[in-house]
Amino acid sequence: MKYRYPKDPYDNIPLDQILEQYGSLILWGLLGLVVLVGIATSFYTVQPEERAVVKRFGKVVAITDPGLHFKLPFWIDQAWNVPTERVLKEEFGFRTAVPAQRTQYYKGTEQEQESLMLTGDLNVIDVEWVVQYRISDAEKFLHQVREQQEAIRDASEAVMRRIVGNRLGSDVLTVGRVEVANQARDEIQEILDLYDMGIHVYTVEMQDVTPPDPVKPAFDEVNEARQERERLINEAEKYRNQMVPKAEGEAKQLIAEAQGFAAERVNIASGEADRFSAVLAEYVQARDVTRRRLYLEMIDSVLPRVGHLYVVQEGQAMPIPLLNLFEGKSSAGRRPGGAAAGTEVR
């Protein structure tokens, strides 16, 4: 059975009659559509970290700040938002897989080709780094170079390969990483300034710098040996810093004591010499009196050190056993025969 389509009620109505009946409605509909399109294309929004470059038929007419702005409708003016206040980055040797709370990275064949480099001593090392930059001039960034990201990546990779190729592999792997990063930042900035791209390079951060996987065990052993050497050197420097000031202090102390002793002996000798000169002057004036005075002074200084002295007549009995002179004294202080040390019996 053949299907019959329902008959269109406007098949037999002439076109001019349809236009006459619905023409005003179609006209108002088209007019409303034009107004909506004009309103939709007359306003644009710039985010806080962006600047907008407004072009009119391809010519830059304004660079606007964040906020809501008006432009000529119907695509006469076009606004291009550029993130001038955001720090952008380019990763080399790896890629960020999931930029979430815990960032994950991956490294494929393309990334390995970026990171494997030949050093000045003909060794191969794996260098991963990040270039952080900011767009300082939105107009130059849009118009001076066609592929901005590729230009930045090509310049960064060329600079890093040249710097690493002029250095020893051990230097890049250990102590020279900071210097390599600073030099790469300066040279990348010079190239981008030559391109006049309106880009300011903030930092070049060296990430993992390691030897290739087949030689990692040997490199780890060498690195451990270097660390052990540095540790021993630091310990020796610490011991030297402790002992040298101590020895210098002891030497200064000995010198000061010797100088004090020398000054004391010189002063004593000078005093004795002056005393002798004064006594000599007195002796010249009064010899007998001075001689007697010297004799008495000597006796006065010597007798207190002699101890007890007893003078008895010759042939008389000794009174010493009867006087208990040595009671309470040790036998070590006695002489043979019962006389105390320092005692003369006559």
Side-chain angles (χ1 to χ4, degrees):
M1 180 177 181
K2 188 175 181 180
Y3 179 78
R4 295 178 178 269
Y5 291 95
K7 186 177 181 182
D8 190 353
Y10 297 100
D11 285 346
N12 297 327
I13 301 176
L15 180 60
D16 54 351
Q17 186 177 353
I18 295 176
L19 293 177
E20 181 179 358
Q21 183 176 359
Y22 299 102
S24 59
L25 183 60
I26 296 174
L27 181 61
W28 281 107
L30 292 176
L31 182 61
L33 181 62
V34 170
V35 171
L36 290 177
V37 172
I39 294 174
T41 56
S42 297
F43 297 94
Y44 65 97
T45 302
V46 183
Q47 299 299 326
E49 58 185 11
E50 297 176 340
R51 294 294 183 274
V53 179
V54 182
K55 298 182 182 180
R56 183 172 298 164
F57 299 115
K59 180 182 179 180
V60 177
V61 295
I63 298 178
T64 57
D65 294 329
L68 181 64
H69 300 275
F70 172 79
K71 62 184 180 66
L72 295 180
F74 302 111
W75 297 278
I76 298 174
D77 287 351
Q78 294 184 353
W80 302 80
N81 292 351
V82 180
T84 57
E85 304 302 322
R86 186 189 310 167
V87 177
L88 307 175
K89 69 177 181 178
E90 293 295 333
E91 300 170 339
F92 297 87
F94 67 99
R95 295 292 184 274
T96 301
V98 182
Q101 294 180 354
R102 184 174 181 179
T103 306
Q104 298 180 1
Y105 304 97
Y106 70 91
K107 186 171 184 176
T109 304
E110 181 181 356
Q111 288 74 40
E112 289 182 355
Q113 294 177 356
E114 292 176 352
S115 60
L116 290 177
M117 299 184 185
L118 187 66
T119 62
D121 53 355
L122 302 181
N123 289 321
V124 178
I125 60 175
D126 192 353
V127 182
E128 298 177 359
W129 76 99
V130 177
V131 177
Q132 295 182 342
Y133 64 93
R134 186 178 66 84
I135 301 172
S136 57
D137 193 320
E139 182 178 355
K140 292 181 179 179
F141 179 77
L142 288 178
H143 301 102
Q144 293 299 118
V145 177
R146 186 184 301 273
E147 297 292 339
Q148 298 90 347
Q149 185 178 9
E150 292 301 324
I152 296 172
R153 295 190 64 84
D154 292 343
S156 302
E157 187 172 350
V159 167
M160 186 61 70
R161 288 187 179 277
R162 186 185 63 78
I163 294 175
V164 173
N166 292 333
R167 288 179 171 268
L168 297 177
S170 59
D171 187 24
V172 180
L173 289 167
T174 55
V175 297
R177 296 179 58 174
V178 176
E179 187 177 353
V180 169
N182 294 335
Q183 183 179 354
R185 178 196 60 197
D186 296 338
E187 295 190 9
I188 294 171
Q189 185 66 65
E190 290 178 1
I191 294 176
L192 298 181
D193 290 342
L194 184 64
Y195 294 164
D196 198 19
M197 291 182 60
I199 288 178
H200 174 69
V201 179
Y202 274 113
T203 59
V204 174
E205 296 183 358
M206 304 292 290
Q207 302 297 316
D208 289 340
V209 182
T210 58
D213 292 337
V215 298
K216 276 186 177 180
F219 172 77
D220 292 338
E221 293 179 0
V222 173
N223 194 24
E224 290 177 0
R226 287 175 177 167
Q227 292 178 357
E228 182 67 17
R229 182 189 66 179
E230 292 295 330
R231 186 183 67 81
L232 294 176
I233 291 174
N234 293 333
E235 290 181 355
E237 288 292 334
K238 177 182 177 182
Y239 181 76
R240 184 182 71 86
N241 294 333
Q242 291 176 349
M243 298 305 297
V244 170
K246 181 180 179 180
E248 291 177 351
E250 292 178 353
K252 291 180 180 179
Q253 181 182 0
L254 292 176
I255 293 173
E257 291 177 355
Q259 291 175 348
F261 179 76
E264 180 183 2
R265 301 305 297 176
V266 169
N267 292 332
I268 292 175
S270 299
E272 292 292 335
D274 294 340
R275 179 177 176 274
F276 179 80
S277 299
V279 172
L280 178 61
E282 296 294 331
Y283 181 77
V284 172
Q285 293 179 3
R287 294 188 176 187
D288 294 337
V289 176
T290 305
R291 184 179 298 173
R292 183 177 294 274
R293 183 173 64 84
L294 292 175
Y295 176 78
L296 293 176
E297 289 178 355
M298 181 58 65
I299 292 298
D300 185 61
S301 63
V302 170
L303 286 180
R305 291 179 292 179
V306 171
H308 298 285
L309 179 64
Y310 298 92
V311 180
V312 296
Q313 291 183 353
E314 186 177 356
Q316 297 294 324
M318 295 179 59
I320 296 172
L322 302 176
L323 297 176
N324 296 326
L325 298 177
F326 308 110
E327 184 177 358
K329 294 185 178 181
S330 62
S331 61
R334 298 182 181 181
R335 289 181 178 179
T343 305
E344 182 179 357
V345 181
R346 293 182 184 178

